[in-house]
Amino acid sequence: MHQFRTHTCNDLRKNNVGETVRLSGWIHRKRDHGGVLFVDVRDHYGLTQCVINPDNAQFSELEYMPNESVITVTGEVLARTDETINPNLTTGEIEVRVDSFDLQSKAPNMLPVQVNTDEDTGEDIRLTYRYLDLRREKVHNNIMLRSKVISGLRRRMEDQGFTEFQTPILTASSPEGARDFLVPSRLNPGKFYALPQAPQQFKQLIMVSGFDKYFQIAPCFRDEDSRADRSPGEFYQLDIEMSFVTQDDVFAAIEPVIEGTFKEFSDWEVTDAPFPRIPYKESMLKYGSDKPDLRNPIIIRDVTEVFAGSDFSIFAKNIDKGSVVRGVPVKNVGDKARSFFDKMNDWARSEGAPGLGYITFAEGEAKGPIAKFLDADRIAKLKELTDSGDGDAVFFACDKELKAARLAGLARNKLGYDLDILEKGVFKFCWIVDYPMFEMDEDTGKIEFSHNPFSMPQGGMKALESQDPLEILAYQYDIVCNGVELSSGAIRNHSPEIMYKAFEIAGYDQSVVDDEFAGMINAFKHGAPPHGGLAPGVDRMVMLLADTPNIREVTLFPMNGKAEDLMMNAPNTVSEKQLKELSIRVQLPPKATVKEAS
């Protein structure tokens, strides 16, 4: 018989009754029923109930053994009586009578994290003792789901003829939208590598090198603040690039991968490919966001004409100065108390807005603080534009176009959740397409790239030379699921001349491109194929499939919100010897005095 186990804790069934077996695992839970001790033994695969009788010489030893101690039990498989069968366990029809057991490792009597319950424990404690937290069923299953999803993604990509390559981890710093993690070079004093924010330049260089279809489950490193859907240090993405493709080709390649993955690992309804395509401008108008949650039935409307020249001077004057008004219509809230609308107004102020006006409709009339400033024709136009009637309400955001869209979009999301009107049990995908190539900074008036500077403008060089920069669209796209951005992508700008011109419009001369992106721009001068790709976030896909709102729940060893690994005590100081080898001297900022701090 094997030293540790003949079966896992999920193997035994009725057909094993009468066999002598050996199991190894953790003590999950113990129950004393009238002198007979039941011990649930758990391993990676499942759980088996074991029973030891008082006449066993090891009874007392096992009785006082702490939970989470690791033991090996040997004994006979018994059939449970009909009334004691546990239908919730795959091993619920049997139990193992303990003839003997060996202690492999003893746990303390008091555990900092209780493994046999999902009761909430502070996040810092969970992350400090992550190895205990990972034994808990829900978290353990999340990590296994992640592994299976990644395996499935690889399988689907290889089935389409993609080849996996590994790109460098130590690379050069480049401006890609977030702070780099820097790594000092011992052999080149005073110089630094950077950890890649993404394999963006490398995957394009793979296409220039003559490979046709690349993918990688790629680690990415960005020194960013933590969010529920963003890790503060590293994350993983399904990185994809293809040569000689149009935007439609990229969509056709990735849609079956995403659709198939979500259908394989969830019983929720999934949008069938091809996914809906929503132009950026339309998305900002209807949903107030470029990552719309299509489970929410609320559609934002442009109601600027209702208030232009009206007696509601606050809106009317702002419209004269270039503002717009977005209406957020909500069905069937006529029975809500005044406090519901006041709380929405208070919420808007907490978001930095002056407030959130509203009108309600009841008994054929418009009511609320704003209604008295609008005549009958304007009220009728408002009802027409927002498809509103008795029992409904419309909230208003008035500001410059982007700010009004943002507030209206946030209000749409809040109302959707607060009123519990989001469609349940579905994954709704869409593409956001036709992003503007450039945007204007409202504070400086400067033209800037709006999305990805390496994207091909629609119309190529002709568009850059003849069109208003703010009217130029790019072959840029995002894939969105239930309000979560899974990926950004683009058909790349593979032409040095077009790239120089695009950067010139954004205020950068040719030397900036040559210095900051030397490897890529030089490669493009040696014959580059048209190419494009994208990079869906693996962590976010698993987060959605696991139906958890926090990305740390699907990450094996995550950092906390302060970018600290509490288990490994990182980041930490290093020795003077190590610093000297790297030609580095650490100079910390002076501590603030009590007076300065106050």
Side-chain angles (χ1 to χ4, degrees), residues 268-280:
W268 286 15
E269 181 183 338
V270 179
T271 303
D272 292 326
F275 300 156
R277 302 183 188 185
I278 305 172
Y280 168 82

Side-chain angles (χ1 to χ4, degrees), residues 268-471:
W268 286 15
E269 181 183 338
V270 179
T271 303
D272 292 326
F275 300 156
R277 302 183 188 185
I278 305 172
Y280 168 82
K281 192 170 184 179
E282 178 184 336
S283 184
M284 294 302 292
L285 173 61
K286 288 185 174 180
Y287 311 110
S289 171
D290 61 353
K291 46 184 179 185
D293 190 340
L294 299 184
R295 297 172 300 169
N296 189 336
I298 297 174
I299 304 295
I300 300 167
R301 309 297 173 92
D302 179 14
V303 295
T304 307
E305 65 177 289
V306 173
F307 291 93
S310 72
D311 292 337
F312 190 54
S313 60
I314 296 175
F315 282 9
K317 288 179 180 178
N318 283 332
I319 291 169
D320 290 341
K321 296 176 183 178
S323 290
V324 298
V325 183
R326 297 290 184 251
V328 186
V330 191
K331 297 289 185 183
N332 305 316
V333 290
D335 59 345
K336 296 292 183 184
R338 170 72 181 266
S339 60
F340 170 79
F341 299 95
D342 290 341
K343 285 178 181 177
M344 285 297 298
N345 202 35
D346 293 340
W347 164 84
R349 292 193 181 102
S350 74
E351 292 291 332
L356 194 69
Y358 67 90
I359 286 176
T360 62
F361 299 101
E363 299 173 353
E365 296 183 359
K367 301 179 180 181
I370 296 177
K372 62 185 177 183
F373 295 100
L374 301 179
D375 58 37
D377 289 343
R378 292 180 184 272
I379 292 294
K381 189 64 176 178
L382 176 65
K383 293 173 75 172
E384 176 191 339
L385 290 174
T386 60
D387 189 27
S388 297
D390 285 354
D392 302 334
V394 183
F395 292 90
F396 304 103
C398 178
D399 210 324
K400 294 296 175 61
E401 190 168 338
L402 282 177
K403 290 183 178 179
R406 176 186 175 276
L407 180 60
L410 291 173
R412 173 181 180 268
N413 290 342
K414 178 174 174 56
L415 288 162
Y417 279 101
D418 288 355
L419 298 172
D420 193 25
I421 56 175
L422 271 64
E423 192 175 350
K424 305 292 192 301
V426 295
F427 290 118
K428 290 205 164 184
F429 290 91
C430 67
W431 292 102
I432 305 301
V433 298
D434 296 340
Y435 276 86
M437 185 78 185
F438 303 99
E439 64 186 8
M440 180 180 288
D441 185 303
E442 292 185 357
D443 296 325
T444 65
K446 182 179 179 293
I447 299 292
E448 299 176 336
F449 288 111
S450 69
H451 199 271
N452 184 328
F454 303 128
S455 302
M456 180 65 79
Q458 296 184 19
M461 182 65 87
K462 183 178 179 180
L464 296 179
E465 292 177 334
S466 62
Q467 288 184 229
D468 179 345
L470 298 180
E471 297 297 321

Side-chain angles (χ1 to χ4, degrees), residues 503-565:
F503 273 82
E504 178 188 321
I505 291 172
Y508 303 98
D509 62 31
Q510 181 172 328
S511 64
V512 174
V513 180
D514 290 338
D515 290 343
E516 298 287 354
F517 311 108
M520 193 161 66
I521 196 69
N522 287 335
F524 286 175
K525 293 175 182 178
H526 289 77
H531 57 282
L534 76 171
V538 171
D539 313 75
R540 289 183 180 178
M541 282 193 277
V542 180
M543 185 181 76
L544 287 169
L545 287 165
D547 193 22
T548 179
N550 195 312
I551 209 162
R552 291 192 280 277
E553 297 298 321
V554 298
T555 304
L556 193 58
F557 295 111
M559 290 193 259
N560 66 8
K562 297 178 181 178
E564 298 169 319
D565 183 340

